């Protein structure tokens, strides 16, 4: 009588048949119970997948963020599926192969199908995760030839400066926004246009993070990091420094205000043509440079 996993199965005899018969009934119930449990878990998972749970992520406010969210949802569902199968197998082994007597279970080795399975399945899972991650990372990191808006972001101890690099031409002011202690900088950007961020730091490592964009990138001294987003939702979103950069790290909040394109054009043209003294809002300095260490 062949058996896997060292399950005890007496070979014969009146006593053996009785025990064997009893175990078959119990084993059948156990297997049905486990199948039902696994089936219900898979159903619950499939039902929750239909409603697209975000597994703790925000909804996203850029074209790129939806791709990031999809990757996160897919990875989480794949991990949960593997988890449910593994938990199922663990509980199956605990129940089906529990100690029933002092007799030593039949000892077996080298179950080739099982060994092939647990080699191939993790390989397929790893290749799948790698493929989708590499595909999405390439798209998310893509830099267009001519972004609609370019903003130089300077993260410094302990605030942010945003400089609109498409301004300051043809006699207009260079528009820049610099946060002051207690007055976070507000970065206004247009909905539906590609915005490139060019990140630099004059002092220590910071990290430019807008949670609603589902994206952050380090701001490193001596290095220029870039990325692009295309906002697709208007609103004001909190931004933070995501790198513990020192004593004033907690003061490095800022706001990103996504506005309709026409409103953004008005915002920029007003500041480009304003006189320096007229643009004296605390968080906004138009046409002047700041002491941010640049
Ligand atoms: Cu910081």
């Amino acid at each position: 009588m062949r058996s896997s996993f060292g399950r005890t199965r007496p070979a014969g005899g009146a006593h053996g048949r009785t025990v064997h018969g009893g175990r078959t009934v119990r084993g059948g119930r156990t297997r049905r119970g486990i199948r039902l449990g696994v089936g219900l878990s898979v159903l619950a998972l499939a039902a929750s997948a239909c409603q697209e749970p975000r597994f703790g992520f925000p909804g996203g406010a850029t074209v790129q963020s939806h791709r990031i969210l999809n990757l996160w949802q897919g990875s989480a569902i794949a991990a949960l599926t593997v988890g449910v199968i593994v938990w199922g197998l663990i509980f199956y082994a605990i129940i089906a192969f529990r100690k029933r007597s002092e007799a030593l279970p039949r000892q077996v080795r080298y179950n080739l199908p099982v060994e092939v399975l647990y080699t191939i399945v993790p390989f397929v899972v790893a290749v799948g995760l790698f493929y989708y991650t590499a595909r999405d990372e390439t798209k998310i990191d893509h830099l267009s030839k001519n972004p609609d808006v370019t903003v130089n972001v300077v993260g410094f101890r302990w605030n942010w400066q945003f400089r609109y690099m498409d301004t300051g031409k043809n006699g207009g002011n260079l528009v820049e926004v610099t946060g002051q202690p207690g007055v976070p900088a507000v970065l206004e950007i247009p909905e539906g246009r590609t915005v490139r961020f060019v990140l630099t730091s004059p002092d220590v490592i910071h990290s430019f993070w807008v949670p609603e964009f589902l994206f952050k990138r380090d701001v490193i001294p001596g290095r220029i990091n870039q990325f692009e987003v295309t906002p697709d939702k208007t609103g004001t979103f909190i931004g933070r420094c995501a790198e513990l950069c020192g004593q004033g790290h907690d003061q490095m909040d800022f706001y990103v205000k996504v506005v309709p394109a026409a409103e953004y054009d008005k915002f920029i043209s007003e500041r480009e043509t304003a006189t320096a003294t007229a643009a004296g809002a605390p968080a906004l300095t138009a046409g002047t440079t700041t002491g941010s260490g640049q």
Side-chain angles (χ1 to χ4, degrees), residues 51-245:
Q51 295 158 10
E52 293 186 348
R54 298 204 298 260
F55 301 104
F57 265 34
T62 65
V63 171
Q64 291 78 0
S65 66
H66 305 307
R67 181 176 286 277
I68 297 168
L69 181 60
N70 282 342
L71 181 64
W72 167 242
Q73 288 171 313
S75 307
I77 289 170
L80 275 174
T81 306
V82 171
V84 165
I85 292 168
V86 170
W87 296 325
L89 288 172
I90 288 172
F91 284 112
Y92 171 74
I94 290 171
I95 295 163
F97 304 113
R98 66 190 182 279
K99 184 177 178 182
R100 293 187 174 91
S101 72
E102 294 304 319
L104 186 69
R106 197 166 74 84
Q107 304 296 296
V108 294
R109 291 182 291 174
Y110 307 123
N111 188 313
L112 193 62
V114 172
E115 288 183 22
V116 168
L117 193 72
Y118 68 56
T119 305
I120 288 177
V121 170
F123 181 75
V124 170
V125 170
V127 167
L129 288 175
F130 178 82
Y131 167 75
Y132 288 111
T133 305
R135 183 196 69 179
D136 289 348
E137 204 173 278
T138 307
K139 298 267 186 194
I140 293 158
D141 273 340
H142 175 73
L143 295 176
S144 54
K145 274 189 178 163
N146 290 306
D148 299 316
V149 177
T150 301
V151 180
N152 272 13
V153 175
V154 181
F156 61 95
R157 290 182 291 190
W158 317 101
N159 227 310
W160 298 92
Q161 182 190 66
F162 305 116
R163 184 175 291 172
Y164 295 85
M165 299 311 289
D166 309 295
T167 64
K169 296 163 186 168
N170 306 320
N173 298 318
L174 176 69
V175 180
E176 58 186 31
V177 181
T178 306
Q180 311 289 333
V183 187
V186 180
L187 170 67
E188 196 158 322
I189 52 174
E191 181 191 18
R193 290 188 190 165
T194 308
V195 182
R196 177 179 298 181
F197 295 105
V198 182
L199 312 170
T200 55
S201 164
D203 40 52
V204 298
I205 300 176
H206 305 276
S207 189
F208 181 83
W209 180 35
V210 183
E212 199 61 34
F213 289 178
L214 311 187
F215 193 90
K216 65 183 170 195
R217 180 141 288 170
D218 279 1
V219 184
I220 302 171
R223 184 189 164 99
I224 297 170
N225 277 345
Q226 302 186 59
F227 72 98
E228 288 180 7
V229 296
T230 311
D232 64 355
K233 183 177 156 189
T234 56
T236 303
F237 311 108
I238 187 79
R240 302 186 191 283
C241 177
E243 183 74 42
L244 184 57
C245 54

